[in-house]
Amino acid sequence: MLILQSLSKTYKTGDTALSEVSLTVPKGQIMGLIGPSGAGKSTLIRCINRLVEPTGGQVLLNDVDLVGLGKRELRQQRRRIGMIFQEYALVERLTVMENVLSGRLGYVPFWRSYLRRFPAEDITRAYALLDRVGLLQHADKRADALSGGQRQRVGIARALAQDPELLLVDEPTASLDPKTSRQIMRLLIEICAERGLPAIVNIHDVPLAQQFMQRIVGLRAGRVVFDGSPDLLTQDALTTIYGEEDWNAMRKGDEEQTAAEADARDRISALAR
Ligand SMILES: Nc1ncnc2c1ncn2[C@@H]1O[C@H](COP(=O)(O)OP(=O)(O)OP(=O)(O)O)[C@@H](O)[C@H]1O
Ligand SMILES: [Mg+2]
């Protein structure tokens, strides 16, 4: 279980990105985090594993407060948190397998990782994870030879190789097409359910969040302004989160995009005839 208590962050520039955010994410729950650009979504995710130092509050992961830890302890505790980024953050010239194994680095002595010699059980498990995310046949390919969706699957397998107690996911589908986005979301949900993992998924796409998340938290200007199940996310609630103008613009953008997609589909099927 993850508990955030009055988590706050004011950057050195004076920007207050988070104000007293308190949230509890129980085991197995996957929580979607939505909100306009600059609302503090990435800051929230980064404060949890202290890629960004919070200026106030507590982060309790299964009863350990991560905020008070010194460097060495923090390094150990970070193993418990799997991060999945939009930009995949894979090592391009390494193979899929090596990228997944790099999730074990926090556990393997430095000399072994330097020589890239991992214990046999790590390798067996990495194969099982690659199988789980549907990439077994690509284990020996270089990361830079993969598609966006495949790369995100490697990112997921690598995070799982860490054997995490929490998953933090920042815009996992931002660079993917709609179908691949749904596949990746589904995979994330299934994996969290299988392992009883709590997860926070920062997600731009509101319909995608509504389709897949059990719980949605809306941030606006660093504060929680919505917290509930997706069916409570009404037009009013969305206006509270995004503001009238932004939300209408977003909807219009979506409609235009849907129309453009339909148009493209029509043209492609006309060509196929
Ligand atoms: N390193 C930084 N230094 C100063 N201010 C920052 C820094 N990172 C973020 N901010 C500010 O903190 C606020 C929240 O930013 P954050 O990146 O968390 O938003 P976000 O919700 O993830 O936005 P987006 O949807 O665009 O990714 C913004 O006002 C931003 O300008
Ligand atoms: Mg962000």
Side-chain angles (χ1 to χ4, degrees), residues 41-43 170-171 202 204:
K41 303 180 297 294
S42 295
T43 303
D170 200 354
E171 294 192 34
N202 165 3
H204 254 298

Side-chain angles (χ1 to χ4, degrees), residues 208-224:
L208 197 65
Q210 282 172 304
Q211 186 182 353
F212 287 102
M213 301 293 135
Q214 305 160 351
R215 173 187 178 192
I216 293 181
V217 165
L219 271 191
R220 182 174 187 175
R223 290 175 193 279
V224 175

Side-chain angles (χ1 to χ4, degrees), residues 172-227:
T173 61
S175 336
L176 304 176
D177 64 70
K179 185 172 170 219
T180 311
S181 296
R182 285 195 297 277
Q183 289 170 340
I184 292 291
M185 271 303 160
R186 194 164 295 126
L187 180 66
L188 273 172
I189 306 277
E190 285 171 2
I191 283 173
C192 287
E194 282 163 18
R195 300 179 165 231
L197 263 177
I200 298 183
V201 183
N202 165 3
I203 185 168
H204 254 298
D205 184 332
V206 174
L208 197 65
Q210 282 172 304
Q211 186 182 353
F212 287 102
M213 301 293 135
Q214 305 160 351
R215 173 187 178 192
I216 293 181
V217 165
L219 271 191
R220 182 174 187 175
R223 290 175 193 279
V224 175
V225 295
F226 176 88
D227 186 353

Side-chain angles (χ1 to χ4, degrees), residues 37-273:
S37 185
K41 303 180 297 294
S42 295
T43 303
L44 177 81
I45 282 191
R46 282 156 192 265
C47 276
I48 294 172
N49 63 1
R50 287 181 51 199
L51 286 174
V52 166
E53 283 296 340
T55 40
Q58 286 187 310
V59 176
L60 296 160
L61 179 56
N62 298 331
D63 299 326
V64 179
D65 181 13
L66 302 179
V67 175
L69 300 177
K71 260 197 187 146
R72 211 193 149 99
E73 285 169 307
L74 178 62
R75 211 170 26 238
Q76 289 193 338
Q77 293 297 327
R78 268 197 189 137
R79 296 173 185 173
R80 302 164 65 207
I81 305 175
M83 276 285 272
I84 298 167
F85 301 92
Q86 170 196 343
E87 61 275 21
Y88 323 113
L90 303 181
V91 185
E92 301 293 338
R93 60 188 174 75
L94 295 187
T95 65
V96 166
M97 181 51 140
E98 287 167 329
N99 270 283
V100 174
L101 282 170
S102 73
R104 298 299 299 166
L105 284 183
Y107 294 95
V108 171
F110 175 73
W111 66 269
R112 283 194 99 154
S113 63
Y114 182 75
L115 296 171
R116 295 202 218 138
R117 282 172 54 177
F118 289 87
E121 64 265 29
D122 282 7
I123 293 171
T124 310
R125 265 171 30 113
Y127 275 117
L129 287 171
L130 280 175
D131 192 21
R132 177 64 191 88
V133 300
L135 285 182
L136 199 51
Q137 72 278 30
H138 298 294
D140 298 325
K141 263 196 187 162
R142 266 172 60 139
D144 54 12
L146 299 179
S147 72
Q150 290 170 336
R151 293 163 67 85
Q152 198 52 288
R153 287 168 192 271
V154 179
I156 294 171
R158 181 184 52 191
L160 294 175
Q162 254 176 273
D163 227 348
E165 293 167 47
L166 170 71
L167 275 188
L168 298 175
V169 192
D170 200 354
E171 294 192 34
T173 61
S175 336
L176 304 176
D177 64 70
K179 185 172 170 219
T180 311
S181 296
R182 285 195 297 277
Q183 289 170 340
I184 292 291
M185 271 303 160
R186 194 164 295 126
L187 180 66
L188 273 172
I189 306 277
E190 285 171 2
I191 283 173
C192 287
E194 282 163 18
R195 300 179 165 231
L197 263 177
I200 298 183
V201 183
N202 165 3
I203 185 168
H204 254 298
D205 184 332
V206 174
L208 197 65
Q210 282 172 304
Q211 186 182 353
F212 287 102
M213 301 293 135
Q214 305 160 351
R215 173 187 178 192
I216 293 181
V217 165
L219 271 191
R220 182 174 187 175
R223 290 175 193 279
V224 175
V225 295
F226 176 88
D227 186 353
S229 77
D231 32 300
L232 298 176
L233 202 60
T234 57
Q235 297 300 320
D236 282 352
L238 285 162
T239 305
T240 309
I241 301 167
Y242 288 95
E244 194 91 48
E245 259 170 55
D246 281 359
W247 172 234
N248 282 330
M250 229 167 106
R251 260 196 320 194
K252 203 150 162 261
D254 280 353
E255 277 162 20
E256 276 165 14
Q257 202 181 340
T258 317
E261 277 167 13
D263 188 40
R265 264 198 308 275
D266 288 348
R267 270 189 277 171
I268 291 165
S269 40
L271 281 175
R273 272 200 291 270

